[in-house]
């Protein structure tokens, strides 16, 4: 990748029973263990005549947010992409073939 080209990521994650798919220029493990840091969100241009209601809902939900943190167990995938598509919220129902990996939480003793 050329140094003049900025990176762009598509991040898919579970949130309150739904799957969020957003685009961001910054994704890292951040300073908070167990979380993925997402910043510099990218949304579609307002010049488009057809309005995607889920993208508008995401714009409203993340308005004023500089960065946010997603728990590792909620992340479905992170892709580096050439250009942004529409951000969206979809049903996270039982038909999904991808499920988050179960993780033990807490510092308890795992001896059985």
């Amino acid at each position: 990748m050329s140094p003049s080209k900025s990176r762009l990521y598509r991040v898919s994650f579970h949130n309150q029973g739904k799957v969020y798919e957003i685009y961001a220029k910054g994704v890292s493990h951040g300073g908070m263990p167990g979380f993925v840091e997402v910043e510099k969100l990218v949304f579609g241009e307002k010049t488009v005549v057809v309005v995607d209601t889920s993208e508008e809902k995401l714009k409203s939900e993340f308005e004023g947010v500089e960065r946010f943190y997603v728990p590792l167990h909620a992340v479905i995938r992170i892709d580096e992409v050439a250009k942004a598509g529409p951000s969206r919220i979809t049903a996270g129902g039982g038909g999904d073939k991808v499920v988050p990996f179960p993780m033990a939480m807490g510092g308890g003793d795992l001896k059985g």
Side-chain angles (χ1 to χ4, degrees):
M1 177 175 290
S2 97
S4 64
K5 185 176 180 187
S6 65
R7 295 177 187 260
L8 182 64
Y9 302 94
R10 178 177 52 221
V11 182
S12 301
F13 60 94
H14 291 280
N15 184 32
Q16 299 178 350
K18 297 187 181 336
V19 175
Y20 281 47
E21 185 176 290
I22 54 114
Y23 291 85
K25 292 182 180 179
V27 176
S28 69
H29 58 78
M32 207 179 297
F35 289 82
V36 173
E37 181 179 313
V38 182
E39 62 183 337
K40 301 177 187 165
L41 299 179
V42 176
F43 293 104
E45 297 297 319
K46 290 196 174 217
T47 58
V48 178
V49 176
V50 179
V51 176
D52 183 347
T53 56
S54 65
E55 185 168 51
E56 290 300 317
K57 182 177 178 185
L58 283 167
K59 280 184 190 179
S60 173
E61 183 173 337
F62 288 100
E63 184 177 1
V65 173
E66 291 184 30
R67 75 179 52 89
F68 66 96
Y69 299 86
V70 180
L72 280 175
H73 67 273
V75 174
I76 298 169
R77 67 186 291 157
I78 300 171
D79 301 309
E80 187 172 348
V81 297
K83 64 179 187 172
S87 295
R88 59 184 157 208
I89 302 171
T90 57
D96 291 346
K97 295 195 187 270
V98 177
V99 295
F101 188 77
M103 298 178 71
M105 300 306 271
D109 190 5
L110 297 179
K111 292 180 184 175

